[in-house]
């Protein structure tokens, strides 16, 4: 199956990229195809809040014509989406935020329905008090069992805290393995139910 990974870090070789690479390697070893988007390489304007997209049901319908249309295409064609970002000032990065805001154009369409989504977060401190707000936001956006705005299945939010600690890499690999296994399991269950 096809897995879209979206790296929201401005550092393409930083801590978040390292964890995402571990995830991608395990998912590839499980037989899935990976498509990577580095948000820092995309020119994506912020949402205008014009609601023109709400008038369209079979495509994104966004009036802004920029690199987001490439991302829309990849999101729609993927079986699962992994959104990875470090925490900057208790929030997702400014590179990933416009991409998520512009995903609003898919909210009132069936184009993401039943897709599996996962959040991968890194932070310098403890999870509580750093990444907890973002994990709640992922549930509100992507966990349809919690009446989220998208009709998607949230595999989970996976946090690697204390990113400057010496044991970061071993903890990152453990989190990456868990995320990859959960995505594969969710996709396998979906395949069986179809």
């Amino acid at each position: 199956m096809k897995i879209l990974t979206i790296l929201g870090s401005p550092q393409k070789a930083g801590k978040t990229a390292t964890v995402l690479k571990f995830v991608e390697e395990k998912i590839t070893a499980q037989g899935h195809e990976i498509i990577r988007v580095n948000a820092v390489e995309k020119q994506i304007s912020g949402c205008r809040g014009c609601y023109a997209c709400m008038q369209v049901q079979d495509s994104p319908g966004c009036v802004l014509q920029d690199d987001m249309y490439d991302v829309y295409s990849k999101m729609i064609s993927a079986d699962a989406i992994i959104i990875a970002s470090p925490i900057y000032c208790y929030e997702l990065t400014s590179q990933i935020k416009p991409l998520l805001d512009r995903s609003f154009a898919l909210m009132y369409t069936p184009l993401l329905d039943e897709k599996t989504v996962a959040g991968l977060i890194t932070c310098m401190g403890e999870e509580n008090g750093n990444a907890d707000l973002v994990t709640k936001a992922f549930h509100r956006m992507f966990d349809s069992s919690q009446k989220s705005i998208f009709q998607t299945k949230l595999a989970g939010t996976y946090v690697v805290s204390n990113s400057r600690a010496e044991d970061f890499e071993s903890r990152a690999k453990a989190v990456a393995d868990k995320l990859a296994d959960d995505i594969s399991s969710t996709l396998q269950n979906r395949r069986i139910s179809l």
Side-chain angles (χ1 to χ4, degrees), residues 72-92:
Y72 287 140
S73 172
K74 288 174 171 57
M75 291 173 84
I76 292 165
S77 69
D79 296 294
I81 302 165
I82 299 171
I83 301 164
S85 176
I87 297 295
Y88 285 6
C89 293
Y90 308 102
E91 184 56 84
L92 297 171

Side-chain angles (χ1 to χ4, degrees), residues 87-118:
I87 297 295
Y88 285 6
C89 293
Y90 308 102
E91 184 56 84
L92 297 171
T93 65
S94 60
Q95 288 75 25
I96 196 76
K97 187 69 170 82
L99 187 149
L100 288 175
D101 288 349
R102 293 277 299 285
S103 295
F104 179 84
L106 300 172
M107 188 185 320
Y108 296 102
T109 75
L111 298 171
L112 295 185
D113 286 5
E114 304 303 317
K115 291 192 188 289
T116 300
V117 178

Side-chain angles (χ1 to χ4, degrees), residues 127-147:
E127 179 177 350
N128 193 25
N130 283 290
D132 50 344
L133 296 176
V134 171
T135 58
K136 286 181 191 226
F138 266 90
H139 281 276
R140 288 189 180 164
M141 286 187 284
F142 300 114
D143 186 356
S144 62
S145 72
Q146 301 293 314
K147 299 182 180 177

Side-chain angles (χ1 to χ4, degrees), residues 16-192:
T16 308
T18 297
V19 185
L20 187 57
K21 184 177 147 231
F22 294 152
V23 173
E24 291 169 338
E25 287 170 351
K26 178 139 188 191
I27 287 174
T28 301
Q30 293 171 335
H32 301 292
E33 176 187 355
I34 294 289
I35 297 160
R36 163 77 78 91
V37 167
N38 292 319
V40 72
E41 296 173 351
K42 299 292 184 185
Q43 296 297 316
I44 299 174
S45 298
C47 178
R48 290 185 181 171
C50 68
Y51 300 104
C53 60
M54 292 177 68
Q55 309 307 312
V56 181
Q57 292 294 306
D58 58 353
S59 68
C62 183
V63 299
L64 299 173
Q65 299 296 315
D66 57 18
D67 290 345
M68 189 62 198
Y69 268 87
D70 177 56
V71 179
Y72 287 140
S73 172
K74 288 174 171 57
M75 291 173 84
I76 292 165
S77 69
D79 296 294
I81 302 165
I82 299 171
I83 301 164
S85 176
I87 297 295
Y88 285 6
C89 293
Y90 308 102
E91 184 56 84
L92 297 171
T93 65
S94 60
Q95 288 75 25
I96 196 76
K97 187 69 170 82
L99 187 149
L100 288 175
D101 288 349
R102 293 277 299 285
S103 295
F104 179 84
L106 300 172
M107 188 185 320
Y108 296 102
T109 75
L111 298 171
L112 295 185
D113 286 5
E114 304 303 317
K115 291 192 188 289
T116 300
V117 178
L120 174 60
I121 307 300
T122 60
C123 58
M124 286 193 328
E126 295 294 325
E127 179 177 350
N128 193 25
N130 283 290
D132 50 344
L133 296 176
V134 171
T135 58
K136 286 181 191 226
F138 266 90
H139 281 276
R140 288 189 180 164
M141 286 187 284
F142 300 114
D143 186 356
S144 62
S145 72
Q146 301 293 314
K147 299 182 180 177
S148 62
I149 58 175
F150 290 103
Q151 295 306 305
T152 51
K153 166 123 177 85
L154 183 66
T157 53
Y158 304 82
V159 178
V160 185
S161 59
N162 300 308
S163 61
R164 292 193 175 183
E166 288 182 21
D167 67 341
F168 170 79
E169 190 167 316
S170 63
R171 289 183 297 106
K173 283 182 181 176
V175 169
D177 285 348
K178 172 87 169 108
L179 193 164
D181 289 344
D182 288 353
I183 287 279
S184 288
S185 175
T186 302
L187 291 175
Q188 181 64 29
N189 290 339
R190 191 170 100 197
R191 187 182 302 149
I192 290 169

